[in-house]
Structures are given as C-alpha cells and as structure tokens.
Amino acid sequence: MLDAILLTLKLATVTTVVLLLMGIPLAWWLSRSNSWWSEVVATLVALPLVLPPTVLGFYLLILLSPTSAPGQMIESLIGFRLPFTFAGLVVGSVVYSMPFVVQPIRNAFDAMGERPMEVAATLRASPLNAFFSVAIPLASSGILTGTVLGFAHTVGEFGVVLMIGGNIPGETQVLSIAIYDYVETMNWGMAHLLSLMMLVFSFLVILIMNLSEKRLRKRLA
Amino acid sequence: MSLYCRFKGNLGQFELDAEFDLPESGISVLFGPSGCGKTTLLRCLAGLNRLEGQFDINGETWQSDTHFLPVYKRPVGYVFQEASLFPHLSVRANLLFGQKRVKTSQNINGYISFDRLVELLSIGPLLERSVVRLSGGERQRIAIARALLTNPRLLLMDEPLSALDSHNKAEIIHYLERLHRELTIPIIYVTHSHEEVSRLADYVVVMETGKTVAAGEVNAIFTRLDLPIQHDEVAGSVLNGVVAEADRQWGLVRVAVSGESIWCRDTGLELGDSVRVRVLARDVSVALKPLVDSSILNCLQAQIVEIKDDARNSIALVRLEISDSGGEQYIVARLSRKSISQLDLQIGQNVWAQIKSVAVM
C-alpha cells in the first residue's frame, strides 16, 4: 500500500513539473497567437477533457508500442521502452492532465491583456525579461490553479494508467489501480481505507486551492 | 528641428499618413478629435505599433526602411492613458522597474535623480504604499515618475488626464507644468481637450482622420481659420502675457499682451509672472468705436487680417491682430454674417475687439 502511495505522489510530482515546463510557454503562445492553427492546437490540448481515458490510453499504447514505427523511433532515441514503465506513465499523465494546467494559465494570460507587457517594454524590459518579471507574476493565480489541478488530476487518473502502465506493483501500480485491485480481490477493508484517503485528499486540495486563489486575486485586484 | 517622423500604412481598418518635425524641447501636442489617429501615431513613435516610415531624433534613427529599433531599446518614456502600474509590485518597486534596467550616468544631459523626481512630483509619502490603494491622480504621478526614471530622451504621454476626475486633472496639470519647467527633453502629448492644449502646448500638430493637417506655435495654430478645430464650441486663441498690475480691491490683475492690457480674475498671481490667457472665439465681439457704459472690461484695439465667410452658414470667423503685436498675437472672433455685412467689416480695418470673458491658464 505504501508503495502505491509513494508511486502516486512521485508520478504526480514529476508530471506536474513537466506540465508546468511545457504548459506555461504553450499557454502563453495560445494566448498571444492570432493564427487559426493555434486554435487547432488548443483543441488538441483540450481533447482529454471529453475523450474516455481508455481511448487516449489505447492510442498512446499503439503510438508508443515497440511494434509501431513511432514507438520504435522513440525507443531507439531514448534507449528504453515506454509502455508499462514509470516513464510511460509520465507521458500518459502529461497528455491526460495537460488541459487542466494549460486552460487556467491561458485564461490568466488572456485576462492580463497587452498593456502590462507594453509598459514593461517601454521600461526597457526585453520580451523574455518582461515575461518572467511581469507576465508570470501577474498570472500567478492561474498558475497556482493549474499546478494544483494538474497534480490532483494525475493522482486521480485511472484509465490511461491502466492502458499504458498496467498493474506492476512498485513500477506502475498507482493508488487508483491498487484500489481497483483490492476490490477485485474482495479486500474491502483496504479499498475503504485507500478510497477514504483519496476523498479527504481531494477535498483538502480543492479547498486550499480555492482559498489561496482568492487571496492572490485580492492582492492583484 | 531635431525630431522628424513620417509614418504611412494601415492598422486594421485605420489608415495613418503622418509627417512632421518637432522642436527639440518643450511640450508638443498632437491634437485632434477622438479616433483621428493620435494614439496610433504616438505608439508608432514608441515602437509599440509598427508602420512603414522614418523616425529620427537628435541625429539618431529609431526607424527607417531598413531598420527598426525595438521598444525596449528606445530611450523613451511612455505614460499611458490609465496609469497601468504593476499591481504585483509596491510603489517603490514600480518606480525602480525601469530605472534598474538602464545604465544611467548622472552626467548625462537632463538627468534627474530619484530624489529630485520624488520631490518634484510629491510622491515621497506614497513610496511604501501598495499600488491598489492610490487615487487616480497619485497613480498617474507614479506612472510619470516611473517613465522619467529611465532617463528617456523623449517623453510620450497619451491623454494622461482623460481617465481622471476634474480634481485629479487639476492636480496632474499642476505637476506637468512643474515638469515642463524642469525637463530639457521634448515631450509629445496627445489630447483632444482644448483646455489642455491651450494650457500646456508650446507647439501643436493638428490631426484629422489619420493625417497631420497643420503644425506650428500654439497661437498661430489656434487662430488659423481654415482648420476644423474652429468649429468646436470651445475653440479659442491663446495669448502670452505678463502680469503687470494687481487690483486687490476688485480681485483683478492686468496682463500686458503686446502693449495692450487684458484684465483677468486674480488667481493668486505675482507681478511679473508670465501667463497664458485663453480667449474663446464665441466671447469676442467687434465694434467700430470703443464702447462706453458697458459691463465688458476688456476692449482691445485690433486690426482685421482675415475673414472667413461661409455662405452656407450664419456664422463667420474673423481673425484680428492685436495692435502693435508685430504679427505675433492674434485672436479669433465668431460673428454672425449679418453683423459683418451691417458693419461692413473689411480686411485691414481697425476695430475694437470686446472680450466678454478671459481665462488665465
């Protein structure tokens, strides 16, 4: 059980870090770009919101499998196989939780408008410098929301993990899978315990997020 | 003339075609009705908008056909319509945002130190406050100081008073006049307000539907009869004078304008002060003889130099040269065409201009 909890936390942490590194620049680009295909990218990013996780997991499995051309290419490039490994789980989780990170951050960048960046430029800040000293701090409430949602959503995922990671204890067996396992093997006590922990965790995460977002907004209003 | 610009091109539906020279110091006002392209032009000067054109300042080229200096490399200060302070920074950090990003040498021409600027704009007590708790006027003062602390070689101001109530407006105008005396760099100021232009401008560029239609000294521009600004109800001439006498009993001062005297309400002026008085065209009437038994205090000798008489209109405009001003000071009178005909007013004729009301700016 402890294995599953630690693995889940590790997966959620790594996934969230990757998501922020990719999601913040992506959200900025989506917010500032006027090209029609940025909306195509935005739609692709949002797809996991409506697709059943099994569909997403299925395609990822096909894409990454050693029998497919892209899968072979990726494997030869990074030197190891992704399906049914922790790294594969991270890839799946990043895709699956991407909209929960990108959307709130993009909204925050949109709400900011052009003006702060223009002011920064007239005060001699280069675009990159202005991005870090103005855009990121002004979008901090959106970034906080994205971080928490990305983390929590990764903790709560099931379908994608099952499809791409399977159920290998210590390697790919995260909490949600462990609960499923306990129910399948009629271990109701453990299933109860873990489910209750998940429930309390989720409640606390969302409560803390709401409270701190309110404070941040008040400060910047 | 050390500042030259020319811009031509389309931004969305809007077409801009502007060209002008400006003096190397003082306040130059881009003046025209809302939507005529003043702000777009100002943004082009800062590099915030990019249109084809040329922009040279003090022998340096900021934009040409082959060259475009990005905004953050231009030594320019920009004050936006709304103060646009950074809400995530304190007042002090807002002020220092630009200053710490430039390498400023104190020996540079026109350098104003942080302390001097804080004093000039009276922002000392605000430094440790949060940006959110400032009044509109305070915010705009911080924004002006923030722009000046980058030690710019050109200050651009985009209707800095338009978002303020009348109390805050008066406050900022007062500070702008202080800065005007202190600063050696040129200021380009965008407004559609007759009051602001007559109060602040040394030089005026008039714009209309994306084009620059006239440019010149403030008195010369506002007494030109061919410009559409004369159709405004509050169109008026601006005269420069010196306070020559104070009449404490009646609360009046006598302002000497090219040998003539204009009596104005005393607003706490000192003898010898240079002042500007503004005379609205609708407040000027013309008589062939000096009036006696009239409540009107100001009656100047003047000569008619131009009459603009539009047959489709009942109103005509008359430009009068104040006698002995040597072609320097003019006022405009808005008269009915009927009166012009009845008095048989002609160019070159000497008349008496009666001024019903005068405002000291």
Side-chain angles (χ1 to χ4, degrees):
Chain A
M1 185 186 90
L2 193 64
D3 268 1
I5 293 177
L6 286 178
L7 183 69
T8 305
L9 291 178
K10 184 177 151 199
L11 175 66
T13 308
V14 174
T15 302
T16 307
V17 170
V18 174
L19 274 172
L20 286 176
L21 290 177
M22 289 172 61
I24 293 177
L26 182 62
W28 178 256
W29 177 71
L30 290 175
S31 168
R32 300 293 132 154
S33 171
N34 294 318
S35 64
W36 62 270
W37 57 285
S38 70
E39 287 314 311
V40 175
V41 174
T43 309
L44 281 175
V45 168
L47 271 182
L49 289 174
V50 287
L51 278 182
T54 41
V55 172
L56 202 69
F58 175 66
Y59 279 125
L60 276 171
L61 192 61
I62 301 271
L63 190 76
L64 301 178
S65 110
T67 55
S68 78
Q72 281 167 5
M73 221 173 68
I74 295 170
E75 195 175 322
S76 65
L77 214 67
I78 59 175
F80 57 92
R81 194 168 288 182
L82 282 173
F84 307 109
T85 63
F86 179 75
L89 276 193
V90 172
V91 173
S93 307
V94 163
V95 174
Y96 184 50
S97 296
M98 186 71 90
F100 294 88
V101 177
V102 169
Q103 204 51 51
I105 300 180
R106 180 188 175 168
N107 290 345
F109 284 146
D110 283 346
M112 195 178 99
E114 297 291 335
R115 182 54 58 79
M117 293 300 277
E118 290 185 349
V119 174
T122 66
L123 294 170
R124 310 289 192 283
S126 69
L128 192 67
N129 184 259
F131 179 74
F132 284 110
S133 58
V134 175
I136 296 277
L138 286 183
S140 54
S141 80
I143 293 172
L144 177 77
T145 307
T147 308
V148 175
L149 284 181
F151 188 89
H153 193 248
T154 305
V155 168
E157 77 180 282
F158 177 75
V160 177
V161 174
L162 192 64
M163 294 296 280
I164 201 172
N167 187 2
I168 308 164
E171 172 75 20
T172 63
Q173 193 194 56
V174 294
L175 266 175
S176 57
I177 307 275
I179 294 172
Y180 178 73
D181 224 29
Y182 286 131
V183 175
E184 285 286 280
T185 54
M186 307 284 262
N187 193 342
W188 296 99
M190 288 303 287
H192 261 303
L193 180 63
L194 286 182
S195 298
L196 187 66
M197 281 167 60
M198 288 285 264
L199 184 71
V200 172
F201 168 78
S202 309
F203 178 83
L204 286 179
V205 162
I206 295 175
L207 181 70
I208 291 169
M209 181 184 78
N210 284 344
L211 291 177
S212 42
E213 206 192 317
K214 209 177 204 169
R215 271 187 56 184
L216 261 179
R217 267 176 207 232
K218 218 180 236 167
R219 200 164 67 86
L220 294 179
Chain B
M1 295 289 184
S2 64
L3 189 154
Y4 167 79
C5 80
R6 165 177 56 80
F7 293 103
K8 194 175 164 72
N10 295 299
L11 269 179
Q13 296 293 308
F14 188 79
E15 196 188 328
L16 189 79
D17 182 4
E19 179 170 11
F20 56 83
D21 291 292
L22 289 184
E24 61 190 284
S25 67
I27 300 184
S28 302
V29 171
L30 296 182
F31 185 68
S34 308
C36 72
K38 309 175 297 269
T39 296
T40 308
L41 183 53
L42 200 72
R43 290 174 58 87
C44 285
L45 293 173
L48 291 167
N49 282 144
R50 188 168 179 172
L51 289 180
E52 246 176 70
Q54 179 83 29
F55 181 25
D56 302 318
I57 173 167
N58 294 324
E60 251 179 68
T61 298
W62 287 6
Q63 185 179 344
S64 70
D65 292 341
T66 54
H67 173 70
F68 181 87
L69 198 64
V71 187
Y72 70 97
K73 290 188 175 160
R74 298 187 181 200
V76 65
Y78 199 107
V79 178
F80 291 84
Q81 220 171 81
E82 314 79 28
S84 308
L85 302 180
F86 296 125
H88 63 293
L89 298 177
S90 70
V91 169
R92 187 188 289 276
N94 262 282
L95 289 171
L96 295 176
F97 187 95
Q99 194 190 37
K100 68 183 183 196
R101 285 175 170 78
V102 288
K103 292 180 214 81
T104 299
S105 148
Q106 303 202 359
N107 305 321
I108 209 164
N109 198 11
Y111 172 82
I112 302 189
S113 71
F114 184 88
D115 294 337
R116 178 79 187 115
L117 210 52
V118 164
E119 185 194 324
L120 267 175
L121 288 161
S122 320
I123 49 183
L126 310 176
L127 286 179
E128 306 310 324
R129 297 256 288 275
S130 152
V131 166
V132 238
R133 309 211 187 290
L134 300 176
S135 75
E138 289 168 338
R139 297 171 67 85
Q140 204 53 284
R141 262 147 65 199
I142 306 292
I144 294 168
R146 183 176 67 174
L148 287 173
L149 279 167
T150 61
N151 203 36
R153 261 175 287 153
L154 171 67
L155 180 64
L156 304 173
M157 306 183 98
D158 182 11
E159 309 211 23
L161 306 185
S162 66
L164 302 177
D165 60 32
S166 57
H167 172 74
N168 282 316
K169 255 183 203 161
E171 172 197 312
I172 296 293
I173 285 220
H174 162 75
Y175 286 107
L176 288 177
E177 284 171 336
R178 262 195 193 187
L179 285 173
H180 187 193
R181 288 192 289 272
E182 194 87 5
L183 291 179
T184 54
I185 57 167
I187 300 171
I188 303 182
Y189 185 103
V190 161
T191 185
H192 61 260
S193 148
H194 278 271
E195 196 189 332
E196 286 167 39
V197 72
S198 21
R199 194 148 165 189
L200 296 168
D202 299 308
Y203 195 84
V204 186
V205 176
V206 182
M207 288 192 71
E208 205 187 326
T209 58
K211 291 189 170 55
T212 43
V213 292
E217 302 287 333
V218 61
N219 181 260
I221 288 293
F222 280 89
T223 53
R224 265 179 66 171
L225 304 186
D226 58 335
L227 295 177
I229 41 180
Q230 295 294 353
H231 301 310
D232 288 336
E233 204 38 42
V234 290
S237 345
V238 177
L239 299 167
N240 293 311
V242 179
V243 178
E245 187 184 334
D247 185 340
R248 300 284 175 223
Q249 184 186 356
W250 304 110
L252 294 172
V253 288
R254 183 167 67 82
V255 177
V257 177
S258 324
E260 288 283 346
S261 292
I262 296 182
W263 287 94
C264 308
R265 203 157 60 87
D266 187 357
T267 49
L269 298 164
E270 301 284 332
L271 286 183
D273 278 356
S274 290
V275 291
R276 273 184 175 188
V277 294
R278 178 160 168 244
V279 177
L280 300 189
R282 63 171 189 217
D283 291 333
V284 180
S285 58
V286 166
L288 298 178
K289 282 184 236 142
L291 268 194
V292 283
D293 306 333
S294 163
S295 66
I296 291 179
L297 281 177
N298 290 309
C299 195
L300 315 181
Q301 269 195 292
Q303 188 179 37
I304 297 175
V305 287
E306 190 182 354
I307 298 176
K308 189 169 179 247
D309 191 350
D310 182 350
R312 286 166 301 179
N313 210 324
S314 60
I315 297 291
L317 296 170
V318 175
R319 183 152 65 110
L320 303 159
E321 184 188 344
I322 296 179
S323 298
D324 306 324
S325 77
E328 286 289 318
Q329 311 242 31
Y330 297 95
I331 54 175
V332 175
R334 191 181 292 183
L335 307 175
S336 69
R337 290 182 59 229
K338 187 178 174 189
S339 326
I340 292 185
S341 162
Q342 280 182 346
L343 296 177
D344 190 25
L345 297 180
Q346 301 292 340
I347 290 172
Q349 193 174 356
N350 286 311
V351 293
W352 293 87
Q354 303 164 54
I355 303 171
K356 191 172 172 211
S357 130
V358 184
V360 176
M361 302 311 288

